[in-house]
Amino acid sequence: MTDDTTTAADDKIRDYLDNHRPTARPVKENNDPPARLHELDFLLGKMVTTFDTGVLMEAVTRPIMGGHYYQMDLKATYADGSPKLEGKWIIGWSEPDQHFESYYVDSMGTLGVSTSPGWVDGHLEFIGDHVLGEVGVRSRSKDAYTPVDERHFRLDAFVEVDGAWKLYDIQDCTITPPSEL
C-alpha cells in the first residue's frame, strides 16, 4: 500500500505500532464501558421466553468484562420439557462502527454475528449471518424487538429466503430485573 492510498485507520494503527511499546498496549485514553450499551439494559436480569412453537427458554443476562459487554446465558426446552439447547449471546458497542455487535452460539450448532444501530422509532433490530443449527444452513437473520411494557417485550425472528424476510418464530419475553433476583 502506498502512502497516497492510506486511510485514517491505517494512519492510526501505524502511529499506535510505531509509538507505543508492545508491553504498554493497549493504550486507551478512556476505558469506561460504552454508554450506548445501556440502551440494552431492558435485557438485564432473568428472562422467561415462550416461543409460538411451545419452546420455553430461560436466560440470565448480566454485564461482563467491567460492563463493556452484556452476556446472556440461556437454556431452552421443547414443549414436552425435554432439553433443546444451551447458548450464549454476547453483545457490545463498536465505537468505530457506531453499532451494536453481537455474537451467538448454542449447543444445536447455531452460531453467528449480527449488528444493530440501536433503537430506531421504538424498535430494535439485530441483522446478521448465522448458521441455523436445526436446518444446517447459513442464512441472514433478523431479530426485531418490540417493547410491550417495562418488563415485557416481543421478539419476532426472521430468516431471509429468496431475498425476503420470512417469519421464523415469535417469542414472548418477560424480564425480572437484577434488583429483584
Side-chain angles (χ1 to χ4, degrees):
M1 178 178 285
T2 62
D3 285 343
D4 59 342
T5 61
T6 63
T7 66
D10 291 329
D11 291 340
K12 192 171 184 177
I13 292 170
R14 188 179 302 100
D15 174 66
Y16 177 75
L17 293 173
D18 291 346
N19 297 307
H20 300 90
R21 294 186 50 199
T23 57
R25 293 182 195 151
V27 174
K28 192 171 178 186
E29 292 176 20
N30 178 358
N31 201 27
D32 293 333
R36 290 287 307 266
L37 196 55
H38 290 295
E39 290 180 28
L40 304 181
D41 283 356
F42 75 99
L43 293 171
L44 295 176
K46 182 178 179 183
M47 179 172 61
V48 176
T49 301
T50 305
F51 291 66
D52 61 345
T53 59
V55 167
L56 179 66
M57 181 180 74
E58 291 189 7
V60 174
T61 305
R62 60 188 170 78
I64 61 170
M65 297 182 204
H68 287 268
Y69 298 89
Y70 288 171
Q71 177 174 304
M72 179 184 289
D73 296 307
L74 55 101
K75 289 185 180 185
T77 57
Y78 289 103
D80 67 2
S82 63
K84 178 177 173 142
L85 63 84
E86 291 184 33
K88 290 196 182 297
W89 189 33
I90 298 175
I91 312 163
W93 175 255
S94 172
E95 190 61 34
D97 299 314
Q98 290 293 294
H99 65 221
F100 291 102
E101 192 155 304
S102 77
Y103 308 90
Y104 179 85
V105 294
D106 71 31
S107 58
M108 288 193 78
T110 299
L111 57 96
V113 177
S114 59
T115 62
S116 173
W119 290 93
V120 177
D121 297 329
H123 297 279
L124 177 70
E125 292 183 348
F126 277 87
I127 298 175
D129 293 310
H130 286 81
V131 171
L132 301 177
E134 289 175 285
V135 184
V137 298
R138 181 169 293 282
S139 177
R140 292 202 33 87
S141 63
K142 174 172 66 171
D143 288 341
Y145 295 79
T146 303
V148 175
D149 60 40
E150 187 177 299
R151 296 180 179 213
H152 186 196
F153 64 90
R154 176 180 155 146
L155 187 145
D156 294 348
F158 299 87
V159 292
E160 190 174 56
V161 179
D162 297 324
W165 291 116
K166 302 290 183 184
L167 187 63
Y168 186 71
D169 62 42
I170 297 170
Q171 303 169 28
D172 184 65
C173 308
T174 304
I175 297 281
T176 302
S179 63
E180 296 180 20
L181 295 177

